[in-house]
Amino acid sequence: MNLPMKDEILKRFLLAKDTPISGQSLADELGISRTAVWKHLQTLQEEGYVFETIKKKGYVLKGKPDKVDPARITSFLTTQRFGRNIQYLDEVTSTQSVAHELAREGVHDGTVVIAETQTMGKGRMARPWESTKGKGVWMTVVIRPDVPPSQAPQFTLVAAVAIVNAIKSVCKNFTPTIKWPNDILINGRKCTGILTEMLAEMDRVEALLIGIGINANQQMEDFPPELQTIATSLSIEEQAEINRPQLVAELLNYLELYSNLYIKEGFKPIKALWEESSGTIGKQIKATTLREVIEGKAIGITEEGVLEIQLDNGEIKGVYSADIEIM
Ligand code: BT5
């Protein structure tokens, strides 16, 4: 697959390591003008790549945009509220815990907590979440929608749709799919998990904490053995380095767009977007809930985001939360 010209240039610098590459040789090799080469280098610099000029020899790539610091994220943001307040931490137990504290202190809708690594990253039901340092997106977005607690699970689906679109805007070599309710898969392997937690009163959500973990730049050996058969990263699938700040910003751009859409028009438009990217609907599945194991065909989600499974005897069961195995 042909890469965009800017990425072709970047790839050559990554391969050349410390050997300088001249603007003229790039222009000749790629069949473009030296001015065009220079413009692409400018764009790469704006994205956080650092080039050193070596007299009479050319350029060497000296730095990559490898931190998810707020300045880099903000340079790609188009939002009004989401990501306009970012708490950036090098190491944290879990971004969810920090977000809980901030939410209780009353931070604004769209506040983000993001870290380079988590020492106690968590999935649903306190399962551990592997958060390799500097390689993924480990973040929590605090949102404050004016909805009853019963609608909170729908925000996992809003987030899933936003994540799929953000991934599609930075990766071109594959199509991610959503596995109900909270996983994003690439070719059957998990690249993203979502954990939605809530601070609420009886009839009103005070804050939703949308925890998102995306494997961005891990290579297979970065994963512990037990994940090597079930997990993947965007970089492995795209065969390129992922610009994490750009990915985070795209995600926040889409998350604001879709939560606004949800607040304005309800779940219906989100449901349609979700179904377009679903890898669950139409499949034979096994759903393990806290109470039972249900096997059947996933036939759709309801207006509430509940998964409907048709059993062999024709009966339809609705599932609010479960672990899904696609058969
Ligand atoms: C999830 O739970 O998938 C939700 C993960 C949410 C993580 C984010 S990171 C930022 C924020 N802060 C946190 O502390 N958490 C959130 P669940 O569906 O229960 O899946 C958990 C299972 O996924 C584990 O039992 C492993 O089998 C697998 N797993 C763990 N780490 C993984 C990784 N990096 N990539 C793929 N699979 C992983």
Side-chain angles (χ1 to χ4, degrees), residues 93-97 118 120-125 127-132 137-140 182-183 190-195 210-215 218 223 226-227 230-232 323:
T93 48
S94 159
T95 55
Q96 294 292 103
S97 325
Q118 305 182 107
M120 282 168 60
K122 58 177 184 173
R124 292 178 301 160
M125 292 176 279
R127 293 176 188 137
W129 182 259
E130 170 69 29
S131 317
T132 321
V137 170
W138 322 125
M139 75 173 188
T140 303
N182 70 318
D183 292 351
K190 182 159 170 172
C191 72
T192 300
I194 308 165
L195 174 69
I210 310 210
I212 298 169
I214 308 179
N215 299 326
Q218 291 101 322
F223 290 110
E226 69 276 15
L227 292 183
I230 55 168
T232 191
D323 279 314

Side-chain angles (χ1 to χ4, degrees), residues 94 131 176 209 251 297:
S94 159
S131 317
L209 311 170
L251 173 45
K297 187 174 170 186

Side-chain angles (χ1 to χ4, degrees), residues 177 179 185-190 229-232:
T177 56
K179 184 174 144 210
L185 306 184
I186 308 170
N187 301 321
R189 285 167 172 264
K190 182 159 170 172
T229 48
I230 55 168
T232 191

Side-chain angles (χ1 to χ4, degrees), residues 228-278:
Q228 290 189 2
T229 48
I230 55 168
T232 191
S233 74
L234 304 186
S235 177
I236 292 172
E237 304 295 331
E238 183 72 357
Q239 296 194 316
E241 181 94 3
I242 303 302
N243 183 331
R244 289 186 302 145
Q246 185 184 4
L247 175 64
V248 171
E250 293 291 358
L251 173 45
L252 293 167
N253 293 341
Y254 277 112
L255 197 57
E256 182 172 286
L257 181 75
Y258 293 140
S259 3
N260 286 347
L261 182 66
Y262 175 90
I263 297 300
K264 213 166 139 223
E265 296 182 25
F267 189 58
K268 207 168 171 200
I270 302 297
K271 179 174 181 284
L273 290 165
W274 190 90
E275 282 167 347
E276 268 173 39
S277 296
S278 163

Side-chain angles (χ1 to χ4, degrees), residues 92-133:
V92 70
T93 48
S94 159
T95 55
Q96 294 292 103
S97 325
V98 178
H100 265 286
E101 277 169 36
L102 293 178
R104 272 192 217 102
E105 285 166 15
V107 287
H108 284 149
D109 184 42
T111 295
V112 169
V113 181
I114 190 161
E116 295 295 341
T117 187
Q118 305 182 107
T119 52
M120 282 168 60
K122 58 177 184 173
R124 292 178 301 160
M125 292 176 279
R127 293 176 188 137
W129 182 259
E130 170 69 29
S131 317
T132 321
K133 183 156 193 164

